[in-house]
Structure formats: C-alpha cells, structure tokens
Amino acid sequence: MDIGNDTGRAADSVVAMLEAKIVSGELENRAPLPAERELMEQFGASRTVIREAISKLSSRGLIETRPRFRPIVRKPDYATVLHACGNVVQHLLTERSGIKNLYDSRVFIERALVREAALAARKEDIVNLRAALEDNRNAISDSSEFYRTDVAFHGVLYRIPRNPIFPTIHEGYTSWLAPQWDRMLRSPERNEVNYLAHKAILDAIMERDPLAAEEALTNHLKAAWEFVRVTFDWGEE
Amino acid sequence: MDIGNDTGRAADSVVAMLEAKIVSGELENRAPLPAERELMEQFGASRTVIREAISKLSSRGLIETRPRFRPIVRKPDYATVLHACGNVVQHLLTERSGIKNLYDSRVFIERALVREAALAARKEDIVNLRAALEDNRNAISDSSEFYRTDVAFHGVLYRIPRNPIFPTIHEGYTSWLAPQWDRMLRSPERNEVNYLAHKAILDAIMERDPLAAEEALTNHLKAAWEFVRVTFDWGEE
DNA sequence: GTATTGCCTTTGGTATGACCAAACTTAGAT
DNA sequence: ATCTAAGTTTGGTCATACCAAAGGCAATAC
C-alpha cells in the first residue's frame, strides 16, 4: 500500500537521519532544529529536499512546526499517535455511521473498563473515582464545569489498567466525539442524570459487581447517545 | 499543539481545496491526480507549494504516492487511519515497555471480544469460528500457513461486533506487534498448542460461558507472550 | 492481428538562486 | 538596566532548469 511512505526519494534518507538523531537524543527534545540552510550543508542536499524532509517529520509528529518559526524537536509519545490519527479520523466522522461506530467502540471499551474496575480496582482507584464523582456533584449547576468533571470521571476509568494507551484512547474519544453537541446539550437536569449514572457505576464497582457495573455504564452511555440522537432528530439507526 | 498542521502556509489552502475535491468525489477515488504543472496553473501557485500540498495529503493518507508515479486519489477509510498511526507507533515500539503496553491492550480488547462473543455471537459467527479453527487444524504442520490461519481466527473475533473499527484494530496489532518473532518462533508443536487454545476459546463461546471464554483467551495470549519473553530472554517485566 | 521494440513526450524529483516578510540579534539611546 | 531601532538571519514562496523514469506512439517483427 505505502501511503505517505514515499520510498525512493532523497528526502527520505534525510528523514531517516534526522529521525535517528531525534530518537538517539543527539537532537534534544524541545530544542529547535538547525536552520534549513545549515541542514542542507550538513546533509549535502538542496533546500528542496531538506524542506520536504522537515514536512514529512512534521507529519509524523517528530517535530512541531509553526509558520516562520524554527521547527522544534519532539520525541514521539502516545499523544503524537493520537494527533496523527486525528487528521484522518475527522474524515470518517462526516458520515453518521462513522460517528456511531466510534461511539459504539467507546461503549465497548468502557464496558470492559468498568468490568475490569469492579474486578481489580485498587484502593487508590476507588479514591480517585470517589473524588471525581464528588467533583461531578459539585458542578451540577455549572454545565461547563460539569463537562470537564464528566470527562475527568471517565478518565479515571481509563487510567485503572495503568496502560498509557488507554488514557490516550480516552483523549481521542473526547476530542473526536462531538464535543460540540456535548457542550451545548447540557443542563443542570441532565448533569444530575449523569451524576447519578456515574454514582451507580461507582457503587457497582465498590460492590465488586462487574455485571452491575457493566450494565450501569452501558445504560449511561446508551442514554447519552439516545439523547443526542433524538435531539438532533437523527432517526433510527 | 498543532503537530503536522502547519497552519498559515499557502500549501494549506491547496491542501484544503484538494481535500474538498477528494471527499466530494470531484476527484474520483483511485484516479490519478492531475499533473503538478497543471495543478499549479489551476490553483495559481508555484510548484513548490503544490508539491508540499501533495506531500501533506500523502501523509494524511488522502493520496497514495509512489516515486515517479502519478499520485493516486484515495478516499479515507479505516485502513487509512491505521496507516497514519503506523509511522508514529513504530517509534513507541523501540522500547520494550511500548511493546508490552500494546500487547496488554490487545489482551484487554480480545478478552472483551470473546466475552462478547460468548454472550452475543450469532450462528454465522460460530460457523465462521469453526471454519477458522478447522483451518488452524489443517495447517498445524505448515507454520507459515498456520500463522495466516491463526491471525484469521482472531480476525473472526474482531468481526463479531460488526463494527469496522475492530478489524482495523486487529490489523494494527498484527502488523505492529512483531510479526518478526511471531513467524520465526513457530513450530508444529507450538501450532498444536495454539490450535488447542483456540479450540478451548471456541468451546467456551459455544457453551455461552463468558468467564471461561475470557479465561481461555487470557491463557492463550499470556502464554504466547511468555513464550516470546523467555525465548528472547527479556527478563521479568 | 497481436506482440515487440525503440523513439519522443510528459512528468516527477532535485538543484539553484532570488526575494520578501517576519523573527531574531545586537548595538545604541534613554 | 531597559527599551528601541537598525541590521542580520531565516522560513515561505516563486521561477527556472535539468535529469531520469514513466507513458504514449508508431514502426517493425511474428
């Protein structure tokens, strides 16, 4: 297939060399890249290929570029992956089926997460969940603040497996799945509903009842979807 | 943050316009892009920015480029997302912890998948699983063929939720998670072990026993990891 | 009539050189 | 020491040129 992997170009060897220098630390993280005219001397290439290489590295998330500013070296991390996906994911969300698929996958993951939580959550996890839930309760009257604490509550769930991939996935969901509607469809009444849903989830987790936790989570997310679907008059799926 | 999103450049407007023409279908899928010299006339830009735009679109997976060949228009799909991630993911897998995290996430997902399968698999899913298992059995003596059927068996699990996101994730796992060792560490003996593991999973699914299915799957994948870990003398994690 | 061969044209990849405007540096003024 | 203004560096863009490989075409061979 080889999308975006233009093998055989001169720029690629430059990319490879710069890539190596970045991962090896020879080019320090957060440090500015040398000037283009210096790089062309260093690699014996024309500015054309140097700039192409820089563009590619930027796409791969290995350097940050702002127009007219020195590119900044950036060691790749999980957030980088997320960002690389983002550009493409957005195209899949123009169709409703794309949104639905993404949302369903979220339900699937979170179901497994709460199940896991009920079975294996540590004391500190429970503490964090209680704190997050408390934040929910205190923010019921402030929809904007409630949104933040809502996301945070789910975030705690994603952190329970202690695998940095999951918080990254969570970030993906929250940034891709229509923060637009999420924000505009909130009200103290709905916040209260969601607070209670979170409470039910936490209760089930604390009772170490995976089935109940899964069910509470499923109800919570399905209800949220229903609300959005009906509000926007999306018809049945 | 804005990685790979070089706002403010002339190329970006060209990217946007081409992007629009691709998603709208004005530029047909699988059709070659117009020649660069034609695009520069069409957009009133220099070849420099045209080429930069093409490079960006290529990185985003909206066009396929091979050196010296006409770029090919490509409507974004789930595979495109996968590919966009691939370039970056690879960097996270240079450390062992990255591999472990990815593998753990796979175990997590597949546990949920087999659980789901035990609870909700349709007749056709069972049929597919049986067929895949049968393929396993017939390929025990041919390690290369067994690898293929092994991947296929797991693939059936990912297709059960009827959400295209999951097969995509599966492809990610199989392409990123060391197909190198997977291939070289196989033998008829290990194939037999894996066949039996698959059989145990399917049996549990057919008995509609989610707990047993989850356990069988976990044993299967944990054992595979252990085997790799010990073989490569990776020490404890 | 089809397949093969060889020539010409098109087109992508790269190199130069130039220019501009914005960022950066530095020396001078307050 | 701080601020300011001039000078320098440097990224973004354009125009042009050249090369080699891909594509197209036509004469040739079978």
Side-chain angles (χ1 to χ4, degrees):
Chain A
M1 185 150 49
D2 264 336
I3 314 163
N5 176 18
D6 311 328
T7 45
R9 292 166 171 72
D12 287 338
S13 64
V14 176
V15 166
M17 287 189 277
L18 283 175
E19 209 169 355
K21 290 195 177 196
I22 291 175
V23 299
S24 80
E26 184 178 334
L27 286 174
E28 268 176 56
N29 194 20
R30 313 293 312 162
L33 216 59
E36 294 178 358
R37 289 164 173 89
E38 190 173 322
L39 288 173
M40 52 186 288
E41 175 177 340
Q42 187 174 332
F43 292 110
S46 71
R47 224 176 129 205
T48 312
V49 322
I50 296 295
R51 283 182 62 76
E52 189 180 333
I54 289 177
S55 170
K56 272 189 199 307
L57 285 171
S58 167
S59 297
R60 295 198 191 176
L62 288 173
I63 57 184
E64 263 176 68
T65 64
R66 280 182 314 165
R68 298 222 147 270
F69 282 80
R70 253 334 170 37
I72 301 214
V73 173
R74 203 195 138 110
K75 246 186 174 145
D77 57 11
Y78 291 93
T80 310
V81 179
L82 191 70
H83 193 279
C85 291
N87 291 329
V88 189
V89 167
Q90 141 194 7
H91 289 289
L92 301 178
L93 300 181
T94 54
E95 294 174 40
R96 206 118 75 230
S97 66
I99 300 179
K100 183 68 165 70
N101 285 334
L102 189 59
Y103 194 85
D104 282 349
S105 76
R106 176 185 170 180
V107 176
F108 184 89
I109 299 269
E110 294 202 15
R111 269 174 53 200
L113 282 172
V114 296
R115 185 179 169 72
E116 177 79 2
L119 290 170
R122 306 184 191 175
K123 264 200 291 282
E124 44 190 303
D125 297 324
I126 305 287
V127 170
N128 290 337
L129 282 170
R130 296 182 82 119
L133 184 65
E134 184 64 12
D135 289 344
N136 288 163
R137 203 174 60 79
N138 292 330
I140 287 177
S141 58
D142 178 349
S143 284
S144 148
E145 174 69 2
F146 188 87
Y147 175 76
R148 214 184 49 71
T149 67
D150 188 346
V151 171
F153 180 86
H154 288 264
V156 174
L157 295 174
Y158 282 85
R159 257 176 271 121
I160 291 180
R162 267 102 188 146
N163 184 334
I165 290 178
F166 291 105
T168 306
I169 293 174
H170 181 227
E171 248 187 82
Y173 285 136
T174 52
S175 61
W176 299 332
L177 276 174
Q180 317 95 13
W181 8 285
D182 241 13
R183 277 206 186 76
M184 57 187 280
L185 293 185
R186 292 193 174 267
S187 66
E189 292 72 34
R190 287 217 50 78
N191 297 344
E192 170 98 29
V193 169
N194 288 325
Y195 160 71
L196 290 175
H198 288 181
K199 184 173 184 322
I201 293 168
L202 177 52
D203 286 344
I205 290 175
M206 293 200 303
E207 304 231 352
R208 300 288 170 186
D209 184 342
L211 286 177
E214 204 175 326
E215 198 193 342
L217 183 280
T218 305
N219 290 339
H220 173 40
L221 291 185
K222 293 280 183 205
W225 176 263
E226 272 307 293
F227 184 69
V228 170
R229 191 179 65 74
V230 171
T231 305
F232 284 95
D233 199 19
W234 277 354
E236 303 302 322
E237 51 243 8
Chain B
M1 185 149 53
D2 265 338
I3 312 165
N5 177 18
D6 311 327
T7 45
R9 292 166 172 73
D12 286 339
S13 65
V14 176
V15 167
M17 287 189 276
L18 283 174
E19 208 170 355
K21 291 197 175 194
I22 291 176
V23 298
S24 81
E26 183 178 334
L27 286 173
E28 270 177 55
N29 194 19
R30 312 291 313 162
L33 215 60
E36 294 178 358
R37 287 165 175 88
E38 190 173 321
L39 288 173
M40 53 186 286
E41 174 178 340
Q42 187 173 334
F43 291 110
S46 71
R47 227 178 124 201
T48 310
V49 320
I50 296 295
R51 283 181 61 77
E52 191 179 333
I54 289 178
S55 171
K56 274 189 200 306
L57 286 171
S58 167
S59 297
R60 294 199 192 175
L62 288 173
I63 57 184
E64 264 175 68
T65 64
R66 281 181 313 163
R68 300 224 147 268
F69 282 79
R70 261 318 193 21
I72 305 239
V73 173
R74 202 193 140 111
K75 243 186 176 146
D77 56 11
Y78 291 93
T80 310
V81 179
L82 190 70
H83 192 280
C85 291
N87 291 328
V88 189
V89 167
Q90 141 195 6
H91 289 289
L92 301 178
L93 300 180
T94 54
E95 294 175 39
R96 207 117 74 230
S97 66
I99 300 179
K100 184 67 164 66
N101 284 335
L102 188 59
Y103 194 86
D104 282 349
S105 77
R106 177 185 169 179
V107 176
F108 183 90
I109 299 270
E110 293 202 15
R111 270 174 52 200
L113 281 173
V114 295
R115 186 179 168 74
E116 177 79 3
L119 290 170
R122 306 182 190 176
K123 263 202 290 284
E124 43 190 303
D125 297 324
I126 304 288
V127 169
N128 290 337
L129 282 170
R130 296 182 82 119
L133 185 65
E134 184 64 13
D135 289 343
N136 288 163
R137 203 172 62 75
N138 292 329
I140 287 178
S141 57
D142 179 348
S143 284
S144 145
E145 174 69 3
F146 188 87
Y147 175 76
R148 215 184 48 72
T149 67
D150 188 346
V151 171
F153 179 85
H154 288 264
V156 175
L157 294 173
Y158 283 85
R159 256 175 272 121
I160 291 180
R162 266 105 189 144
N163 184 333
I165 290 178
F166 290 106
T168 306
I169 294 174
H170 180 227
E171 248 188 81
Y173 284 137
T174 53
S175 61
W176 299 332
L177 276 174
Q180 316 95 15
W181 7 284
D182 242 11
R183 277 204 185 77
M184 56 188 280
L185 295 184
R186 290 192 174 269
S187 66
E189 292 73 32
R190 287 215 52 77
N191 296 345
E192 171 97 31
V193 169
N194 287 325
Y195 160 70
L196 290 175
H198 288 181
K199 185 173 184 318
I201 294 169
L202 177 51
D203 285 345
I205 291 175
M206 292 200 305
E207 305 236 351
R208 300 288 170 186
D209 184 341
L211 285 177
E214 204 175 328
E215 197 193 342
L217 183 281
T218 306
N219 290 339
H220 173 39
L221 290 184
K222 292 282 184 203
W225 176 263
E226 272 305 295
F227 185 70
V228 170
R229 190 180 66 74
V230 171
T231 305
F232 283 95
D233 198 19
W234 277 354
E236 304 302 322
E237 50 245 7

